[in-house]
Amino acid sequence: MRDFSIIVPHRGSALGLWATIHSCEEDLANVRINGVAADFGNRSKYDYEYVIVTNGERLEIDALGTLHHLREGKKLVHKHYAEAVTPPVAWQRAVEMSSGKRLFFFDNHCLVGRQYFDRAMLDMDAEGMDMLHSTTAYYSDQAKHYHY
C-alpha cells in the first residue's frame, strides 16, 4: 500500500492538469525533514501515485504527454470514460482504483503550495486526523479562504 494517492479528475484543457501535477511534483521533490531540505535525487520520501480519471472529450496531445510522463515513472493509475462526469463522480471512480493509505483530492486547476504534503502528513499523524480541509488562495498576495 502506498503512503497516499493524489486524485485528480480531468476534462478540458491540458494546462490545468499539467499545472496541478507539476506543482505536486515540485513540492514532493523538495520535501523537508525536520526543517532541513532533503535531497532524494529528484525523488520523494513518500511512496505515492496519481489516480487520474479523464472523461468526456478525447484527450489533447499535451494531456497524453503528461500522463505518459507519469506512467514512465510508474506513478500513474489512469482510466478514461467516454461520457462526461462531474468531479465527485470522477473522484469516486478514482478512489475505487487507488492504493494509498491517504487520499488527496484536487481539481485539475489547483497549484499546491510549498511544503503542502509534509504539513498535511505531519498534521494528520500528530492529530490522528482522518480528514483535512485545506485553504485556497485565489492570488498569492491575498488571504487564504476555506473551500468546501
Side-chain angles (χ1 to χ4, degrees), residues 97-116:
M97 299 185 298
S98 69
S99 65
K101 288 185 267 188
R102 294 192 168 122
L103 307 175
F104 289 96
F105 296 91
F106 295 102
D107 287 334
N108 69 339
H109 57 262
C110 295
L111 299 177
V112 175
R114 283 184 226 102
Q115 299 179 2
Y116 173 79

Side-chain angles (χ1 to χ4, degrees), residues 16-28 50 66 110-112:
L17 178 64
W18 173 85
T20 299
I21 290 169
H22 182 71
S23 68
C24 288
E25 286 295 289
E26 282 289 307
D27 185 47
L28 288 163
Y50 291 91
T66 298
C110 295
L111 299 177
V112 175

